[in-house]
């Protein structure tokens, strides 16, 4: 399996880059006010979500037709809501990204491509953080790869993430990728030339720990995050970012902790919100678990049925956070939060 990963990642990297170009194309063509950009139906999903998924699955269907696919979007909803304008735009932007003319049926066929039953399964969120995308803020194109249910490789295109964390107003656009046994890497989206290795931060001092959480209050439990920060004495600040960009930030040492408590007890996270990010952070030397310290189990269908919440960290601070979670829940050991 290890020797296959570089080739698998090469396809996924190219696909994620092309998908990111579709997303940016939709933003460029949208009216100036982000709120005015077309949402298709009631869900926050845009032409960009479908175009991105089409481009990624075109690449996977071509290179690995027998691989399994779990992907967030389906063509039926697009057909129902996109209208003529949406159809014209997706055909144009997907064609531009692939470098050849394409037809609408071809595009819809890629969106619905689900492959076979190979031990490899691609897990795709074509735009993770659609709410961030609609605000022209952070979002990620997420392409994860499972082998027999375990995350082994991940690619995250982060078109709006500043390349230099010390220069937030500087040029944006990074592609993170990594594979188990290969390490983790970053390259700029605007050139694709230089690839540099990235790794998680080395700090074990809670006072230096920078914490990441969702922008959307409804996607988590900000009061619990605040309680953990106080209990563990995490002193590096708490930044709220949309999407799996948070995993990219932990994998590249920009933050130490990504804490995602559940918004309500019955909520179970979707696997496409975590597959690519988990592989990336683990490849970068970090650790990902649920809030009980259990590894995320990606083998239970579209949702992480066996897990409650998510904690990604640089590894060295993982235990401290789990202890703080147990403490704020008022129980003696790691517990269900
Ligand atoms: P984030 O930007 O980190 O908040 O994550 C965005 C993802 O949150 C979306 O892709 C949704 O799948 C997911 N999501 C939607 N509703 C909820 C919820 N109630 N709790 C947790 N995650 C959610
Ligand atoms: Mg998502």
């Amino acid at each position: 399996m290890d020797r296959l990963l570089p080739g698998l990642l090469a396809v996924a990297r190219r696909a994620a880059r092309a998908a990111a170009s579709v997303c940016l194309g939709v933003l460029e063509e949208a009216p100036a006010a982000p709120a005015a950009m077309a949402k298709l139906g009631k869900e926050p999903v845009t032409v960009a979500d479908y175009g991105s998924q089409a481009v990624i699955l075109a690449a996977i269907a071509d290179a690995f037709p027998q691989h399994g696919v779990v992907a967030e979007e389906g063509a039926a909803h697009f057909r129902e809501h996109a209208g003529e304008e949406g159809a014209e735009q997706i055909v144009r932007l997907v064609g531009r990204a692939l470098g050849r003319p394409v037809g609408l049926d071809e595009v819809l066929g890629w969106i619905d491509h689900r492959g076979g039953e190979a031990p490899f399964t691609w897990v795709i969120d074509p735009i993770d953080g659609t709410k961030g995308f609609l605000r022209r803020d952070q979002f990620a194109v997420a392409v994860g790869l499972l082998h027999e249910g375990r995350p082994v490789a991940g690619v995250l295109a982060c078109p709006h993430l500043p390349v230099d964390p010390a220069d937030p107003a500087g040029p944006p656009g990074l592609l993170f990728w990594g594979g188990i046994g290969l390490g983790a890497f970053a390259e700029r989206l605007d050139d694709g030339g230089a690839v540099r290795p990235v790794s998680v931060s080395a700090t074990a001092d809670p006072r230096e720990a920078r914490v990441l959480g969702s922008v959307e209050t409804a996607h988590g439990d900000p009061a619990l995050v605040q309680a953990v920060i106080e209990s563990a004495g995490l002193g590096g600040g708490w930044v709220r970012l949309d999407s799996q960009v948070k995993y990219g930030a932990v994998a590249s040492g920009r933050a130490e902790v990504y804490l995602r408590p559940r918004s309500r007890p019955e909520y179970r996270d979707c696997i496409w919100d975590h597959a690519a990010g988990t592989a990336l952070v683990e490849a970068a030397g970090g650790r990902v678990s649920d809030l009980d310290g259990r590894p995320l189990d990606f083998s239970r269908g579209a949702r992480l049925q066996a897990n409650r919440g998510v904690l990604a960290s640089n590894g060295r601070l993982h235990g401290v956070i789990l202890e703080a979670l147990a403490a704020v829940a008022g129980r003696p050991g790691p517990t269900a939060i």
Side-chain angles (χ1 to χ4, degrees):
M1 200 267 298
D2 290 5
R3 91 200 133 71
L4 296 176
L5 282 186
L8 293 157
L9 273 161
V11 171
R13 283 159 64 195
R14 266 199 309 276
R17 269 180 181 281
S21 78
V22 172
C23 301
L24 292 176
V26 170
L27 282 182
E28 275 161 23
E29 293 180 7
M37 187 164 40
K39 294 187 203 176
L40 305 180
K42 274 189 289 188
E43 295 295 306
V45 56
T46 70
V47 169
D49 296 64
Y50 294 99
S52 171
Q53 183 162 312
V55 164
I56 295 164
L57 289 182
I60 289 170
D62 184 47
F64 314 113
Q66 75 285 12
H67 287 188
V69 172
V70 177
E72 184 170 14
E73 313 302 345
H77 186 265
F78 181 86
R79 274 184 202 279
E80 194 180 332
H81 294 281
E84 267 177 43
E85 223 174 290
E88 180 280 321
Q89 190 180 29
I90 203 167
V91 163
R92 190 163 42 74
L93 292 180
V94 169
R96 190 174 79 185
L98 298 182
R100 66 173 176 85
V102 299
L104 182 60
D105 286 342
E106 208 177 2
V107 169
L108 298 178
W110 288 321
I111 291 170
D112 278 345
H113 171 78
R114 291 299 181 271
E117 294 284 318
F120 286 107
T121 301
W122 295 91
V123 181
I124 292 151
D125 194 341
I127 295 187
D128 183 33
T130 307
K131 289 173 184 161
F133 178 76
L134 288 164
R135 287 189 250 100
R136 296 180 190 262
D137 203 337
Q138 295 302 326
F139 68 98
V141 174
V143 183
L145 180 64
L146 307 179
H147 182 256
E148 291 172 353
R150 296 170 64 92
V152 291
V155 178
L156 291 178
C158 306
H160 286 168
L161 186 66
V163 170
D164 179 359
D167 181 13
L174 279 174
L175 186 79
F176 293 108
W177 51 279
I180 302 307
L182 290 179
F185 304 87
E187 59 196 59
R188 286 175 70 143
L189 277 175
D190 65 358
D191 60 10
V195 172
R196 65 183 171 86
V198 295
S199 61
V200 294
S201 136
T203 188
D205 184 349
R207 289 170 304 182
E208 292 173 8
R210 295 160 291 182
V211 179
L212 299 176
S214 285
V215 173
E216 299 293 331
T217 303
H219 290 184
D221 183 349
L224 183 69
V225 176
Q226 184 59 40
V228 168
I229 287 171
E230 285 167 22
S231 171
L234 309 180
W238 173 18
V239 173
R240 294 170 72 157
L241 286 178
D242 294 291
S243 84
Q244 286 175 72
V245 165
K246 295 187 276 299
Y247 281 103
V250 171
S252 57
R254 294 176 180 220
E256 283 70 28
V257 177
Y258 165 22
L259 183 56
R260 189 183 188 88
R262 287 168 299 160
S263 48
R264 46 182 199 276
E266 68 280 10
Y267 188 81
R268 295 292 180 271
D269 280 272
C270 298
I271 62 171
W272 49 75
D273 288 334
H274 300 285
T278 296
L280 179 69
V281 163
E282 290 183 352
R287 184 175 160 197
V288 181
S289 74
D290 67 9
L291 301 193
D292 298 315
R294 281 192 293 255
L296 302 186
D297 180 353
F298 288 90
S299 69
R300 309 271 189 120
R303 299 222 173 223
L304 294 169
Q305 292 294 354
N307 298 105
R308 287 175 283 218
V310 175
L311 169 62
S313 81
N314 68 342
R316 294 171 186 85
L317 284 160
H318 214 85
V320 169
I321 313 291
L322 291 175
E323 279 166 30
L325 281 162
V328 302
R331 300 195 199 163
T335 184
I337 302 283

